[in-house]
């Protein structure tokens, strides 16, 4: 059995769009990052807590504590995992209460969606089933990008797989999907009817058939290419970005706001692509391979103590005042929250925390945050008038 399906659920947003990516990625190793290790550890803890809550007979408190003790010894452990996984458990408890009667709770369930995508399977973090509703809940420990549950292909594939498995035992009418991403304070929820899900399944079948055979098209894009293993060397992405960066045709003296909007969109992936290409070229040069015009060199380095304790002792012996050698500074708000724990922090110090408006930033129109301007709104203008 393969560890990962070629048409995996977590990469579905990629192969559904850029159907040729699945076969192209095959030739690149599936490396794991520190963030992925952290994520795996947090998932193990999250699953154990939920299992202990819903399936105490199989997974007692003693077993849970034993496991936590072991997890704490892992190099990727962080104390804040405890609070974040509690948030996941709390969400599932509430979601289960929303069912008219107690739902069946399946954890880390392998779901087979091979009816839709050849050899397709994945592991759903949590499935709640009952009263005609199938609820897929996914725990995300990442804090890079906020993930939305709306029409999320990964969760939708899990839902298709779960429906295939349980449709005989449980009549399903409604589908719910949730993403719990506590490090970004993101809880995203979405729902559709079974008919809508199955309709999407037909689209999946057609795209997956192409992806499986390595047919269809390359469709580069910022989102699509972000985690593709071929992203540094893929010619389609390379050509696309070079085109965006240089192929701008005749230059008028001034660009219009419409053109600026279009170009910002077109250039989105260029900088990221350049970074990916630089990282790949560096690894090639370090491996002794040639990338014409480029070489690996030693980067800038910063001086460091060989023995800081010894150096400070010597400085003090030479009449350097200890006070000038140390600075006392408070931890940042986020650091304090991390050491105290999210819940306790909110209870003790929450009243001292405020969130000023963020620095204006450019975002796509589709962004959920409301648009802001520097223009005074009418109400504010009248307030101003009142004062004068
Ligand atoms: S890098 Fe982008 S365009 Fe190339 S195969 Fe991967 S997803 Fe497709």
């Amino acid at each position: 059995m393969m560890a990962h399906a070629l048409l995996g659920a977590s990469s579905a947003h990629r192969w559904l769009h850029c159907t040729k990516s699945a076969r192209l990625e095959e030739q690149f190793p599936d490396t794991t990052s520190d963030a992925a290790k952290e994520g795996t550890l947090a998932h193990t803890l999250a699953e154990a807590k939920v299992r202990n809550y819903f399936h105490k007979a199989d997974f007692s408190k003693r077993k849970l504590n034993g496991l936590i003790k072991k997890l704490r010894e892992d190099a990727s452990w962080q104390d804040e995992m405890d609070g974040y996984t509690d948030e996941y458990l709390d969400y599932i408890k509430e979601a289960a209460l929303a069912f008219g009667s107690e739902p069946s709770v399946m954890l880390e369930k392998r779901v087979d969606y091979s009816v839709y995508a050849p050899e397709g399977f994945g592991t759903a973090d949590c499935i709640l089933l009952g009263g005609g509703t199938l609820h897929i809940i996914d725990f995300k420990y990442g804090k890079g990008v906020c993930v939305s549950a709306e029409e999320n292909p990964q969760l939708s594939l899990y839902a298709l797989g779960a429906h295939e498995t349980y449709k005989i035992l449980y009549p399903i009418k409604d589908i719910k999907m949730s993403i719990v991403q506590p490090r970004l304070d993101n809880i995203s929820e979405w729902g559709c009817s079974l008919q809508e899900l199955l309709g999407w399944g037909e689209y999946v079948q057609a795209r997956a058939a192409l992806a499986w055979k390595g047919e269809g098209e390359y469709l580069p894009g910022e989102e699509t290419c972000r985690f593709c293993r071929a992203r540094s060397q893929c010619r389609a992405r390379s050509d696309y970005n070079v085109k965006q960066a240089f192929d701008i045709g005749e230059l008028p003296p001034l660009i219009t706001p419409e053109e600026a909007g279009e170009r910002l969109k077109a250039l989105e992936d260029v900088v990221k692509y350049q970074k990916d290409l630089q990282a790949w070229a560096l690894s090639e040069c370090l491996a002794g391979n040639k990338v014409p015009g480029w070489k690996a060199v030693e980067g800038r380095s910063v001086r460091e103590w060989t023995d800081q304790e010894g150096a400070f002792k010597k400085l003090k012996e030479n009449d350097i005042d200890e006070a000038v050698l140390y600075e006392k500074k408070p931890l940042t708000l986020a650091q304090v929250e991390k050491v105290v724990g999210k819940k306790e922090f909110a209870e003790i110090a929450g009243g001292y925390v405020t969130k000023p408006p963020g620095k204006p930033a450019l975002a796509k129109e589709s962004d959920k945050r409301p648009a802001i301007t520097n223009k005074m709104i009418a109400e504010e203008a009248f307030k101003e008038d009142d004062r004068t």
Side-chain angles (χ1 to χ4, degrees), residues 20-40:
K20 285 189 156 189
S21 64
R23 289 291 174 196
L24 192 69
E25 273 194 281
E26 260 189 317
Q27 52 189 298
F28 295 91
D30 197 359
T31 51
T32 181
S33 62
D34 286 346
K37 282 185 207 156
E38 258 177 35
T40 306

Side-chain angles (χ1 to χ4, degrees), residues 317-333:
E317 282 167 8
N318 283 276
D319 297 329
I320 304 297
D321 190 357
E322 186 166 338
V324 301
L325 297 176
Y326 295 91
E327 59 173 346
K328 188 178 167 191
K329 52 176 188 180
L331 296 181
T332 64
L333 190 153

Side-chain angles (χ1 to χ4, degrees), residues 100-120:
S101 53
E102 205 178 310
S104 297
V105 181
M106 273 72 80
L107 302 170
E108 291 298 312
K109 181 77 193 157
R110 185 184 146 117
V111 283
D112 185 317
Y113 51 84
S114 56
V115 172
Y116 298 92
E119 297 184 12

Side-chain angles (χ1 to χ4, degrees), residues 329-349:
K329 52 176 188 180
L331 296 181
T332 64
L333 190 153
Q335 287 167 331
V336 175
E337 187 181 52
K338 196 170 169 181
V339 286
V340 175
K342 212 169 175 178
K343 268 190 193 160
E344 221 178 334
F345 175 84
E347 281 163 19
I348 303 170

Side-chain angles (χ1 to χ4, degrees), residues 13-15 17-25 217-238 240 269 273:
H13 71 282
R14 187 158 54 248
W15 56 257
H17 191 62
C18 174
T19 50
K20 285 189 156 189
S21 64
R23 289 291 174 196
L24 192 69
E25 273 194 281
E217 61 268 285
Y218 290 111
L219 276 180
E222 193 207 355
E223 295 286 313
T224 319
C225 303
R226 181 179 287 141
F227 296 117
C228 179
R229 299 203 295 276
R231 65 184 178 274
S232 301
Q233 282 175 275
C234 170
R235 183 173 298 282
R237 186 186 183 211
S238 186
Y240 169 79
D269 195 35
Y273 173 62

Side-chain angles (χ1 to χ4, degrees), residues 3-209:
H4 293 286
L6 178 85
L7 304 182
S10 58
S11 60
H13 71 282
R14 187 158 54 248
W15 56 257
L16 282 170
H17 191 62
C18 174
T19 50
K20 285 189 156 189
S21 64
R23 289 291 174 196
L24 192 69
E25 273 194 281
E26 260 189 317
Q27 52 189 298
F28 295 91
D30 197 359
T31 51
T32 181
S33 62
D34 286 346
K37 282 185 207 156
E38 258 177 35
T40 306
L41 197 76
H43 266 85
T44 310
L45 178 63
E47 181 204 345
K49 285 184 179 179
V50 182
R51 196 173 289 286
N52 168 254
Y53 184 84
F54 287 99
H55 305 304
K56 275 195 185 64
D58 296 337
F59 198 73
S60 64
K61 191 82 185 165
R62 209 165 64 91
K63 276 190 186 163
L64 173 66
N65 289 338
L67 179 79
I68 293 177
K69 199 169 162 228
K70 221 168 117 198
L71 295 179
R72 280 181 177 276
E73 286 162 18
D74 193 293
S76 300
W77 173 268
Q78 307 144 346
D79 287 342
E80 59 183 349
M81 273 179 192
D82 210 18
Y84 290 140
T85 48
D86 278 349
E87 285 181 43
Y88 172 64
L89 171 62
D90 289 345
Y91 181 83
I92 297 177
K93 283 196 230 171
E94 264 182 45
L97 281 175
F99 281 73
S101 53
E102 205 178 310
S104 297
V105 181
M106 273 72 80
L107 302 170
E108 291 298 312
K109 181 77 193 157
R110 185 184 146 117
V111 283
D112 185 317
Y113 51 84
S114 56
V115 172
Y116 298 92
E119 297 184 12
F121 68 88
T123 308
D125 292 340
C126 176
I127 300 173
L128 305 181
L129 249 176
T133 299
L134 165 68
H135 193 167
I136 306 282
I137 304 174
D138 197 49
F139 176 62
K140 298 229 177 279
Y141 197 63
K143 57 174 182 178
V145 185
C146 245
V147 187
S148 167
E150 194 175 334
E151 297 184 358
N152 183 294
Q154 180 184 10
L155 272 60
S156 301
L157 281 175
Y158 292 158
L160 283 173
H163 174 250
E164 274 306 305
T165 310
Y166 299 112
K167 64 184 176 190
I168 309 280
L169 290 171
Y170 299 86
I172 295 167
K173 279 199 330 252
D174 298 311
I175 312 293
K176 278 189 181 175
M177 299 178 202
S178 304
I179 286 175
V180 181
Q181 196 175 11
R183 286 166 104 193
L184 288 180
D185 266 333
N186 173 36
I187 289 185
S188 177
E189 299 170 322
W190 188 70
C192 65
S193 68
L194 177 66
Q195 285 320 311
E196 283 167 320
L197 179 76
L198 296 178
W200 182 78
E202 284 171 24
Y203 159 77
V204 171
Q205 266 171 336
R207 300 298 286 174

